[in-house]
Amino acid sequence: MWWRRTRPGAAGHGRLVRGPRTPSAAGRGRLVRGRVPARGGLVRGRVPAAAPGRHPALVLALLLSVALCAGCATDPPEPSPVPDRERIDGAGRPITLTVGVFGEFGYQEAGLYDTYMRLRPDVAIRQTSLARNDVYYPQLLTHLTAGSGLADVQAVEVGNIAEVVDTQAGRLDDLGSAPGVDEHAFLPWKWAQATTPDGRTLGLGTDIGPLALCYRKDHFAAAGLPTDRETVGRLWAGDWRKYEEVGRRFAERAPEGVAFTDSASGVLAAVVSGVPLRYYDARGELVVATNPHVRAAWDLAADFARQGLTARLQQFTPDWDQAFARGDFATIACPAWMLAYIQDKSGPAARGRWDVTVAPRPGNWGGSFLVVPSAGRQRAEAARLAAWLTAPEQQARLFARRGGFPSASAAYRLPEVADARHPYFGDAPTGPLYAAAARGVPLAPVGPKDGLVNQILSDTGMLQVDQTGRPPESAWRAAMRAIDNALDR
């Protein structure tokens, strides 16, 4: 989930590619405690959602006081049965499983650990968490290499999954055949991201960040543009250049002080999130400098900056936050997790002014996985827990309560997703909208340093074009040099 980090990561989608090896989680946490009643299901009822925020994680953990879904939580299936001899550890105590995460995954807050412990009275779960993935991930690599200091289940961000699978495959269990795991329940491109060339699936997908476009209906109306979400979506359907054309129309009659979109970097990230080839090819070779898809995305984003269609902001900064509250821009590329961020920063006054519709092209911007280290003492139990947490029923419940969009496509049929609407965004049908976007994401290679390359393109390159007027070609060459230096090329 890229919103769990302070800085943006890669827009993850596609299949794993192999890359160069590099050096790396467990943080400190607290035991998830509670009574352990007899086995049983959940108490049904609607629960307000609180969607995440991958970069500004600690803020977004408190977000979304309104419900994201119109359905009720379904009773989760029980975990796979475990032989009695595996249920109790050598000291005769109930088994304790640890789960290491970064930021806010929502399992604890949504009550999933408590539910699992009710279903499995012999298991206790302790979650450990570090706020930032850029702190968590290096520690994870270090502990995997050492074979110690690991949680039984560890989270991995999509921008790191290629490197983990390429360099740590011998230290992780194959979860593809674990009890309760069904490959066909997941989106094919998500499953492929954590699968080795020889077919071992080392990570189970948690959430994803399918892409849509959010827009201010009041600003569109003031500029003489349609405001109905279906009509707005047709304005730019199928082509990001059409989105630029709408921006020029908006600029002709825009309200004073209102830009069409927030940033050129945001446009760049959105376009790159949906191309079939990004920074690495299928052999694990870095191709960012010669890839026409990336260069086309760069040129489009630079055109937005050159024509004055952006508010010249840097995402995930205080200025960006304040711009939401002031209504300084009319559109923004918004993965599913960003809805909560927009609601929080725009505030109650903008309720009903924002709406959400389809993006010009499907894309994915974020996501994570759960892995089971082979050095763990409770590997079979850990695999069962990871399988249960990522099963469609639990992913749907997590979406309903916390806003993380499921990577298990089988969850899209469940009422928590199929019937989900968002009151803040004009009662938009967010469940079906984002499910359609997720199914349309192309299968593309994911490289070991996608996140780093993405950050340099945005901060070293496009931000300079947007904020200082640096010529796009000069900024491109500077970004390519910075990428080479960062990767010791």
Side-chain angles (χ1 to χ4, degrees):
M1 294 184 180
W2 86 231
W3 63 88
R4 297 193 185 95
R5 304 191 307 172
T6 302
R7 282 292 310 133
H13 64 286
R15 64 182 182 277
L16 170 71
V17 299
R18 301 179 69 82
R21 298 176 180 269
T22 61
S24 25
R28 289 185 293 272
R30 62 186 182 84
L31 183 65
V32 180
R33 298 185 181 274
R35 292 179 299 169
V36 185
R39 291 178 181 264
L42 297 174
V43 177
R44 296 180 179 269
R46 294 186 59 175
V47 183
R54 177 185 213 170
H55 291 269
L58 301 180
V59 174
L60 295 188
L62 303 175
L63 299 183
L64 207 51
S65 58
V66 295
L68 279 175
C69 76
C72 298
T74 55
D75 288 340
E78 293 191 4
S80 302
V82 185
D84 288 341
R85 66 180 179 276
E86 296 187 18
R87 292 189 174 190
I88 305 299
D89 66 16
R93 296 186 300 270
I95 294 169
T96 296
L97 296 177
T98 53
V99 180
V101 303
F102 54 92
E104 190 70 63
F105 266 64
Y107 294 139
Q108 184 169 303
E109 294 78 6
L112 293 185
Y113 295 151
D114 288 338
T115 300
Y116 192 84
M117 289 187 290
R118 285 197 298 270
L119 297 172
R120 289 289 310 278
D122 55 331
V123 171
I125 300 172
R126 181 169 61 87
Q127 177 177 286
T128 65
S129 179
L130 292 175
R132 295 166 55 99
N133 185 54
D134 58 359
V135 176
Y136 168 92
Y137 180 61
Q139 292 188 25
L140 174 60
L141 291 181
T142 297
H143 292 308
L144 283 170
T145 301
S148 62
L150 292 156
D152 296 298
V153 178
Q154 296 274 178
V156 178
E157 204 263 351
V158 64
N160 305 127
I161 192 62
E163 182 175 38
V164 166
V165 173
D166 183 53
T167 66
Q168 305 294 326
R171 301 181 176 102
L172 298 172
D173 281 5
D174 182 1
L175 300 178
S177 59
V181 173
D182 178 8
E183 173 183 351
H184 301 293
F186 290 85
L187 292 161
W189 57 265
K190 182 71 173 183
W191 184 267
Q193 286 178 334
T195 300
T196 64
D198 63 358
R200 298 176 66 232
T201 298
L202 306 181
L204 298 177
T206 58
D207 60 305
I208 54 175
L211 197 66
L213 272 173
C214 294
Y215 66 99
R216 285 278 297 247
K217 291 182 287 189
D218 53 338
H219 292 337
F220 268 45
L225 293 173
T227 60
D228 172 76
R229 71 177 65 95
E230 285 76 19
T231 305
V232 170
R234 286 194 294 271
L235 292 177
W236 49 60
D239 191 346
W240 282 100
R241 283 291 178 184
K242 292 182 180 179
Y243 178 56
E244 179 193 10
E245 293 171 7
V246 176
R248 288 196 293 267
R249 289 175 56 189
F250 178 86
E252 292 173 357
R253 299 177 58 185
E256 185 176 357
V258 177
F260 180 61
T261 193
D262 67 316
S263 66
S265 293
V267 173
L268 175 64
V271 178
V272 169
S273 77
V275 298
L277 182 68
R278 294 188 301 139
Y279 308 139
Y280 289 81
D281 65 15
R283 298 169 300 175
E285 298 295 326
L286 186 71
V287 296
V288 59
T290 58
N291 182 3
H293 296 293
V294 174
R295 187 55 197 254
W298 174 276
D299 291 342
L300 174 62
D303 285 347
F304 270 76
R306 179 179 54 81
Q307 297 172 83
L309 300 181
T310 79
R312 306 186 187 282
L313 296 163
Q314 183 176 9
Q315 293 188 334
F316 305 100
T317 64
D319 286 346
W320 192 60
D321 294 347
Q322 293 162 16
F324 277 110
R326 294 190 301 263
D328 287 352
F329 51 88
T331 70
I332 186 170
C334 53
W337 50 263
M338 195 180 283
L339 298 183
Y341 197 95
I342 293 172
Q343 178 178 346
D344 179 62
K345 300 306 177 184
S346 299
R351 180 186 176 92
R353 297 180 181 178
W354 280 103
D355 209 326
V356 56
T357 190
V358 294
R361 301 287 299 171
N364 182 73
W365 195 349
S368 295
F369 298 82
L370 297 181
V371 302
V372 173
S374 300
R377 294 179 61 245
Q378 306 286 353
R379 292 160 58 189
E381 288 285 3
R384 290 181 178 92
L385 175 59
W388 187 87
L389 288 172
T390 57
E393 295 82 3
Q394 278 63 257
Q395 291 205 22
R397 180 182 174 191
L398 195 63
F399 172 64
R401 296 192 174 188
R402 306 297 297 178
F405 201 79
S407 65
S409 54
Y412 302 164
R413 300 188 300 267
L414 301 178
E416 295 94 334
V417 180
D419 300 335
R421 307 185 77 88
H422 203 307
Y424 189 87
F425 291 83
D427 210 31
T430 49
L433 188 154
Y434 281 111
R439 290 190 176 102
V441 174
L443 183 65
V446 177
K449 296 297 181 182
D450 269 14
L452 177 60
V453 174
N454 189 73
Q455 181 176 337
I456 292 172
L457 281 175
S458 175
D459 292 351
T460 301
M462 191 52 63
L463 186 64
Q464 298 299 311
V465 176
D466 204 15
Q467 293 190 342
T468 72
R470 184 172 185 174
E473 186 61 34
S474 171
W476 173 265
R477 290 195 300 267
M480 295 304 105
R481 287 194 299 270
I483 289 170
D484 285 343
N485 291 337
L487 300 181
D488 295 325
R489 287 166 50 87

